Amino acid sequence: MVKLNNSSDLKLVFKYALKDFSRNYKKILSIIVTLYISLFILSAIFTIEDSLKKELNDNAKSLLGGDLEIDYNRNQGNLDLINQVKEFATVSQMIEFSTMISTTNREKNKSLFTRIKTVDEKYPLYGKVVYEPKGAYERIQKEPNTILINESLTKTLNININEVIKVQDQLFTVVGIIKTVPDVSGFVAFGDWALAGKQTLEILKLNGIGSFLNYEYKVKFNHNDNAEILEKKIKNIFKNDQKVKLRYPENSASGLKRIISNFSQFLSLVSISAMLIAGIGIANTLLSFINHNNMSIAVRKAVGFYSGNIKLLYYMQLFILLFIITIFAYCSSFLIVPIADKYLSDGLGLNINPIFSFLNFLKIFLVGFLVLLIFSIPTINAIDQVKASNLFRNVFQNLQFYYSKKSITISIFLLSILILLFTLGSENPVYSLGYFGAFFVCLIVFFLLSKLIIFSLKKIKSFSNISLNVSIKNITQTKSITPITIMSLGLGVTLLLTLALVGTNFKREIAKSIPDIAPDYFFVGIQKGEREKFEQSILSMDPNASIEIVPMVSSGIVKINGINPNTYITPDNDSYWVIGSERRSSWAKKVPEDNPIIKGKWWDLSKNNQLQISLDAKVAKDLNINIGDIFTLNIYGREIEGEIINFREVDYRDLSINFAMLFNPQFAINIPHEYLATTKFDNLDKFNEIQMLKILPSLSMIKIADYLNKVTSVLNKVFIAVTLISTVTIVIGLIVISSAIMVQGKVKEFQNLVFKILGFSKKKVVFSSLIEFIIIFISVILIAIFFAVIGSKFIMENIFELVWKFDVIVLIYLGLSIGLVTLLLILLTNLKYLNPKIYPLIRNQ
Amino acid sequence: MNTLLKLKKVNLKYQTGKKNISVLKDINLITKKKESISIVGESGSGKTSLIMLIGGLERATSGKIFFQNQEITKLSEDSISEIRKKNIGIIFQSFYLIPNYTAVENVALTLELNKFKNPEKEAKMLLERFGLKHRFNNLPGQLSGGEQQRVAIARAIAMKPELILADEPTGNLDTENSIMISEILFKYIKEEGSSLIMVTHDQKLANKAKRKIKIKDGKIK
Ligand SMILES: Nc1ncnc2c1ncn2[C@@H]1O[C@H](COP(=O)(O)OP(=O)(O)O)[C@@H](O)[C@H]1O
Ligand SMILES: [Mg+2]
């Protein structure tokens, strides 16, 4: 492609590239701006992702709370074994549970289901607890009935320091407010929680299941000890204990890391779209730039430059430009980190700092390099068409994009590399590939649309309206910007509309489950003897309340077909949660209405003295379980074998009572159990939480609306971020369009001049660009809506597995606002050419 | 031994649509080193085409062209570029300076391409010789036509080429400037011993050359 004679030639070309670049950069401002914006977004995503992951890795021990975690889940565990560990390491005990907290001494007291963490003096083994005022943290250890609450809880219940609150039926003084704790990973990240001293547990009545008890022992090795040896030693100590789960720093926050990877994969795809749209503009601007330099290129050829070297000269200018822009984009992405930090530290208590990574810089440069190359090859190859002999003839033909077989092959090859770069190593390669596929299909369709419009308008010969004629002429003229406008606007609008539709569908799905299907309250922790009391109390407050109450036991899967599942099922399995810790299970005589059996039979009544298990079909598929497999369950310390007898289709999203495992009632009725209830009130106001707590102090109440509000507010934040980033594609599309108009400017100016001479009024010129815009925009928006509907439907139904619905309002709203902005931009850019100065134009022509 | 150029039965045809236009017909021409030649003829007779063939900027349809005994009609585009770069300087009627390069930079371009040690310094010396000392750092747009053509000549002769090709170098200039340009050109080839092939309509200028070639309908008369 490019022939180089020797290194001194290369040096010469480089020198001229620098010189030309320093004089030309103003003419390619739109390339600079679009390239900068898209590289900046990409840099910001990479930088934030890396900084977050680094924070998580650096603080793996803090997040875990120690060098190792011994998790006994619901049980206090085997203290003998714990004591053995204490002989060579520091052990801190921590118990988490959930219970009701209520305000006192108010006109209208409020209560909330809250997670409380009790810790001993050794906590935290790593990291720091940030709280105020001074000394508060020491007080919860020394003084009984004191508690620290987090900031969110102060807001939710409007509690101040020194106020007295009720935890179950005990009074506690709030002695301070916690800002952050180091070990967020095992703890509730978003939401309300409190910290208390270890003596708290004895004061409260905590029953098994309803309080979601969790016993953990965090271990810190002595400074000089070899961590690996000690890890082995501890493993050895607990090797015969089935109930224990050991965790290491490297598994801390694995869920969070996955979310981050998924999210950043998605955002990178959006930013590469922006970049490809920018590429369309780059190709266009570059072509006009080279046309502008037509004569200089011919002169260079005349004095003996090789065509290859001249092309190299332009490539080099582009890469000098890219290099500078990448540096700027990468460095300025660091400015975004503090903003992201603020967002994240509010919710997660994570503090991220920008980290410089040469690899990231290279990756961003490479992406920019590939995009530039792909879009500049057909443009720069046009240089071959410039002939030095033109200098004798005084004519300079307008260059066109030049596609040879070779250059097309190279472009496709480079494009494949680009796609691979974003696909390989991403969390979900198939989705990335699908995304690229959809992107290019859209690109091609919009390109064909532009050709179709031009073709069909050419067929229509003449109208009586002169403005209409002029606009049709504008759209169909040889060097019209119609294809560029349609492609860049079309892709941007499609992306934005798709995301908007997904977003609104998502929100609607969440919101709609509140009034219809879902109950108002979940009640956990109703003891065996409290069932009647519970039902009576509810009905006495609201006689028309509908109550669903089911028995519940807690059990852990110890073995599947005789093998410990933890030895072969890893945490990245979608159904790991089933074996990860103890699960709550229930039993039922009849098949639950919304849980149809899809394989196997309901209970085998001939085997009433044996445990039979009905399993969630998705779990069965994930864990590769067949009918007839045997689970060994640990139920209250007893190991019981049960046979898998059927699979049910469970939809957890309906927020009614759902269990992964159901047992045959004939067997399970004898197991010690408690109850779980859901209630839908006829009139929610009649229900009084505080009074309910007086009757059943250990009852846990979860108000569905509160819970959903929290989820919705998190989703809202995510949605805003996503919309902001995808708007970038529109912005880039608009810059591409306006630069295309500028490129066309000289022709436009001349055209307007002719109009002026012919007595065509300014009003008519404006009117004709309005018609031009309307023809283009309506066709674009129709196709974009079509794609957005298909795309969002696919995403909602196949990726999120939720219901999809058409939302006209959002489409109209977004479509109109994008249209308005585009129109304004087009009119403003055209305004420049509306008042042509006659003299210079005539002289030049 | 003294031969610089040899054209043997050179034909040039242009294709326009389905028609073949024969622009140059069976041209035979031998020129010597240090020779100055003027080409005259009516507009459209094929003068420019001939110059372009000699400069390797156009390919002959048939026939052979030798430059310093090397057959350039056989060479690749890049090899012709190489010969042109070292040996042929070209001057155009419309000057054609690179608009965003200063006078000095326009001249230095060829010197640099031929790997001169101090291209800018040499360029300045040349421009000074042509009376442009006060115009070193001006862009072409800031120069008069005569000045621009002097810079263009400086660019063409900077690397002391064996042959200078000029296509109506004074065609865009007034009388005063024309005289100045022709003086510069002839003084230069005398001093440096270069050869000059020049197309012109200006009889006085044509007569300055040692040899005069007349072209009519694509043939040498
Ligand atoms: N690219 C071309 N295609 C067709 N005809 C051409 C082309 N270039 C030049 N000609 C024709 O060749 C003839 C000679 O042109 P030229 O060499 O420029 O003449 P001169 O310089 O003597 O005026 C003219 O008749 C011109 O129309
Ligand atoms: Mg001519």
Side-chain angles (χ1 to χ4, degrees), chain B residues 21-133:
Chain B
I21 303 173
S22 209
V23 175
L24 292 173
K25 298 160 196 160
D26 285 338
I27 301 279
N28 289 306
L29 178 69
I30 295 178
T31 78
K32 289 197 269 289
K33 286 184 180 166
K34 301 188 184 180
E35 201 172 20
S36 59
I37 302 170
S38 62
I39 302 177
V40 293
E42 281 169 18
S43 182
S45 56
K47 307 181 294 291
T48 298
S49 302
L50 182 61
I51 291 237
M52 279 173 14
L53 280 178
I54 294 170
L57 296 167
E58 192 76 74
R59 281 203 180 271
T61 316
S62 69
K64 289 176 180 173
I65 301 172
F66 296 87
F67 183 80
Q68 291 181 330
N69 293 323
Q70 194 173 10
E71 188 183 340
I72 59 170
T73 28
K74 276 202 309 209
L75 296 179
S76 73
E77 196 81 27
D78 283 351
S79 309
I80 296 174
S81 279
E82 190 65 27
I83 289 177
R84 187 164 60 236
K85 180 172 93 181
K86 290 201 183 100
N87 304 300
I88 303 174
I90 305 174
I91 301 163
F92 309 96
Q93 181 177 356
S94 319
F95 327 135
Y96 289 129
L97 299 173
I98 295 179
N100 53 359
Y101 280 20
T102 62
V104 169
E105 285 169 339
N106 263 291
V107 178
L109 181 68
T110 37
L111 292 167
E112 205 135 25
L113 205 55
N114 284 288
K115 314 215 162 60
F116 275 60
K117 282 250 168 56
N118 272 317
E120 300 247 330
K121 204 175 141 201
E122 297 256 344
K124 282 180 183 166
M125 274 164 56
L126 254 178
L127 288 173
E128 203 174 332
R129 239 170 98 183
F130 292 171
L132 290 167
K133 196 177 175 187

Side-chain angles (χ1 to χ4, degrees), chain A residues 322-336:
Chain A
L322 176 68
F323 186 69
I324 297 170
I325 292 180
T326 311
I327 291 177
F328 271 95
Y330 187 64
C331 291
S332 53
S333 78
F334 284 18
L335 300 176
I336 283 282

